[in-house]
Amino acid sequence: MAPSSQYKFLRQAPRDGLSTAMLPSKWQRLHIDPWLCLFLFLNAMLGLVVLYSASAQDVGLVSKQAMSFGIGCFVMFTLAQIPPKVYQAFSPYFYSFGILCLLAVIAFGEIRLGAKRWIDIPGFGSVQPSEFMKVGMPLMIAWFLSRNALPPSFKNVLISLVLIGVPFLLIAEQPDLGTSLLILASGIFVLFLSGLSWKMIMAAFAAAAVVIPIAWEFLLHDYQRQRVLTLLNPEADALGTGWNIIQSKTAIGSGGFAGKGFLEGTQSHLHFLPEGHTDFIIAAFSEEFGLIGIVILITLYFAIIFRTFQISLQCFHNYGRLVAGAFGMSFFVYVFVNAGMVSGILPVVGVPLPFMSYGGTAIITLMATFGIVMSIHTHR
């Protein structure tokens, strides 16, 4: 064989024992996971359709939501290009930035409806810093735990609990118990995935059994305790605190198997259903599309969660595995809490339904988390 032919053969053949099947695909070169993108896109399109009906056909509201999805897609694609080692290096700085923003809320935050949760930035608008911690908390705890061998030692578990507890208390003080519990859960999920022993897990349940009665008596506000009591007996104040749950369950039940049809819902269109385009949008969806629609929606959510867990299990480093797994479990909690709240099995808290409820900040934050998940999957 001539030297030129031999060189041509070696140049074109896979080297170092790699087959063509192991070479990166075009999706990997773009750092995008096609399946996760497909599920997110379908969920987003379904959310826009439902929002159009639940908002009394408000085109302006739907346009703003679509714009938020567009910004979220740009953020997701941009974050997917950044290698996980960069996130790992900047995790403590992002966490510290989030803590400073939460302290700024206490110092000069904007008060709305009795809660101080926003910072008004001139020329930009209002920002809710607690949304930053939905991303910053899992990144920080994963960064701290992955620096040492897993499962973590008792000392590292205690330090992690302190790191989790500081933003939890700052957000609960605003007050925003729903968001604070979600952020608390996102940090706990990282600890759980790091391989805690069953002794530590049982000890945590025992500690929770002690803390919950104390929190009920001394930490919860009156309206928060009333929400729990309303859950147990919503008919006790049917025209007051129980109104939301009663109307929501009425809307869900009236949908039946196939629903009343698109734009045919009565509870939301006649304004019996409160916040039908935000927190209670799944009730409006169930009324119009029935059990069939709910099954389709839950299947989409399950596909997103399953794909995220699959990416976590395929990851080769502890940091990425912990982050992706925590984001997947957090997404499940968002869906479960909202659906449980609307169906009357959990207290009413201000937790939107992912990719369905109206709200730009929440959508962009979620898309950012999935951008990080795609980065973990495609940067091998």
Side-chain angles (χ1 to χ4, degrees), residues 266-289:
T266 55
Q267 293 295 112
S268 58
H269 291 172
L270 296 178
H271 304 291
F272 288 104
L273 185 64
E275 304 296 334
H277 65 294
T278 54
D279 294 346
F280 287 86
I281 195 170
I282 194 174
F285 174 75
S286 178
E287 183 182 20
E288 296 188 359
F289 296 94

Side-chain angles (χ1 to χ4, degrees), residues 201-215:
I201 295 175
M202 297 306 297
F205 279 112
V210 175
V211 170
I212 289 176
I214 298 175

Side-chain angles (χ1 to χ4, degrees), residues 340-360:
M341 170 189 76
V342 171
S343 59
I345 63 173
L346 292 176
V348 175
V349 293
V351 177
L353 186 65
F355 300 117
M356 300 288 286
S357 299
Y358 175 75

Side-chain angles (χ1 to χ4, degrees), residues 79 82-95 135-150 189-191 193-194 308 311-327 368-369 371-373 375-377 379:
L79 295 182
I82 303 174
K85 61 182 180 181
V86 176
Y87 294 115
Q88 186 171 5
F90 279 91
S91 292
Y93 301 104
F94 188 77
Y95 174 86
V135 181
M137 176 66 79
L139 294 180
M140 178 62 188
I141 305 303
W143 170 82
F144 176 74
L145 293 178
S146 62
R147 296 168 65 233
N148 301 287
L150 298 180
F189 289 150
V190 180
L191 271 176
L193 294 172
S194 67
T308 306
I311 290 173
S312 173
L313 292 174
Q314 293 173 353
C315 185
F316 296 108
H317 49 89
N318 288 333
Y319 175 80
R321 188 181 301 113
L322 294 176
V323 169
F327 282 153
T369 62
I372 296 174
V373 170
S375 168
I376 291 170
H377 178 61
H379 288 86

Side-chain angles (χ1 to χ4, degrees), residues 162-179:
V162 172
L163 294 172
I164 296 170
V166 171
F168 166 74
L169 294 175
L170 290 175
I171 297 172
E173 183 64 23
Q174 293 179 356
D176 189 356
L177 184 61
T179 302

Side-chain angles (χ1 to χ4, degrees), residues 197-233:
S197 65
W198 283 107
K199 291 182 179 179
M200 289 188 180
I201 295 175
M202 297 306 297
F205 279 112
V210 175
V211 170
I212 289 176
I214 298 175
W216 176 268
E217 291 293 334
F218 302 105
L219 298 180
L220 293 183
H221 296 269
D222 291 337
Y223 76 92
Q224 292 170 338
R225 285 193 288 266
Q226 186 60 42
R227 286 179 177 178
V228 177
L229 296 175
T230 300
L231 169 69
L232 302 176
N233 186 17

